[in-house]
Amino acid sequence: PPRSTLFPYTTLFRSYARSADWTNERMLFESSLEATPNSWVLWLNLGNTFLEAHDLIHAEQSYRTAIRLNPKSGKAQTNLATVMLMSGWTAAAERQYRRAIEAQPDRSDSYSDLAVLLFDQSRMNEAEQLLMKAIQVDPNDATAYFDLGVLYTRTGNQVAAAEMYRRALALNPDYPDARRALLSLDIK
């Protein structure tokens, strides 16, 4: 039998109606999870949308689900630690950052984020070692150089700080924080 001439219009209407469900990223990820509930990547991305909206409770739940589905995801582990830190659970965040490093030791951001937490606790030696490890893991991570520059600035080593800010700028010439930090140093 011949195909109905309404078929293309019906398909178009269904696609249009479905697109209304995807008016934002959160709805897109939630809709996708209905079809593939065991996708750790979708849970990670859903957690990211909650984190961006400062919905820490749902971000935490989403990251925990992503980790349950893929315990080796350093990104989900790191993001969960960030949620914990934002919630004021510093000790739990430190443990979670360490789990992230253990789960995926080739991610520089896990080392850097833990270093910033330790830096805020005045644990400068540990923070410095972690930032050096972040740079070793990813020598192209401008943020790790910048963070190390901040650490050196706060500990009074302006020469080393200037070098780190210059390295951050060499990797990312459009890094305004690194440029401002470098210009603020009192180096003769």
Side-chain angles (χ1 to χ4, degrees):
R3 244 183 169 180
S4 166
T5 56
L6 290 177
F7 177 76
Y9 298 107
T10 305
T11 304
L12 182 63
F13 176 75
R14 284 185 186 145
S15 295
Y16 177 77
R18 190 70 174 148
S19 72
D21 292 341
W22 299 339
T23 55
N24 64 45
E25 282 185 317
R26 182 184 61 94
M27 293 175 101
L28 171 63
F29 294 130
E30 287 174 341
S31 178
S32 298
L33 281 166
E34 288 176 17
T36 54
N38 291 325
S39 170
W40 72 271
V41 173
L42 287 173
W43 283 106
L44 172 68
N45 288 325
L46 181 60
N48 292 344
T49 62
F50 285 129
L51 183 59
E52 288 172 16
H54 299 284
D55 183 347
L56 301 181
I57 292 170
H58 288 105
E60 179 186 357
Q61 291 169 349
S62 297
Y63 293 138
R64 285 189 186 281
T65 302
I67 293 165
R68 181 178 50 76
L69 294 169
N70 181 7
K72 293 290 184 190
S73 171
K75 184 63 177 165
Q77 300 266 2
T78 297
N79 289 4
L80 177 59
T82 300
V83 168
M84 292 172 166
L85 187 60
M86 292 173 71
S87 299
W89 307 326
T90 308
E94 180 179 344
R95 287 190 302 274
Q96 188 61 45
Y97 281 128
R98 292 187 189 282
R99 279 194 214 75
I101 290 168
E102 186 178 313
Q104 199 171 0
D106 61 342
R107 293 187 55 85
S108 64
D109 63 329
S110 301
Y111 294 98
S112 293
D113 290 353
L114 176 56
V116 169
L117 181 150
L118 297 176
F119 174 84
D120 288 343
Q121 296 177 349
S122 299
R123 293 162 63 183
M124 301 304 184
N125 290 337
E126 290 176 84
E128 180 182 23
Q129 293 305 312
L130 285 164
L131 289 168
M132 292 173 140
K133 181 65 176 179
I135 291 167
Q136 179 186 350
V137 166
D138 183 0
N140 296 314
D141 183 354
T143 301
Y145 287 103
F146 173 77
D147 290 343
L148 191 53
V150 171
L151 185 143
Y152 288 148
T153 299
R154 298 258 175 90
T155 57
N157 190 345
Q158 292 195 5
V159 173
E163 178 59 25
M164 293 303 109
Y165 296 141
R166 284 188 195 101
R167 287 186 184 181
L169 287 166
L171 292 167
N172 181 358
D174 298 322
Y175 201 151
D177 292 338
R179 187 165 310 287
R180 273 191 297 276
L182 181 59
L183 293 173
S184 73
L185 293 177
D186 185 28
I187 297 181
K188 307 278 189 265

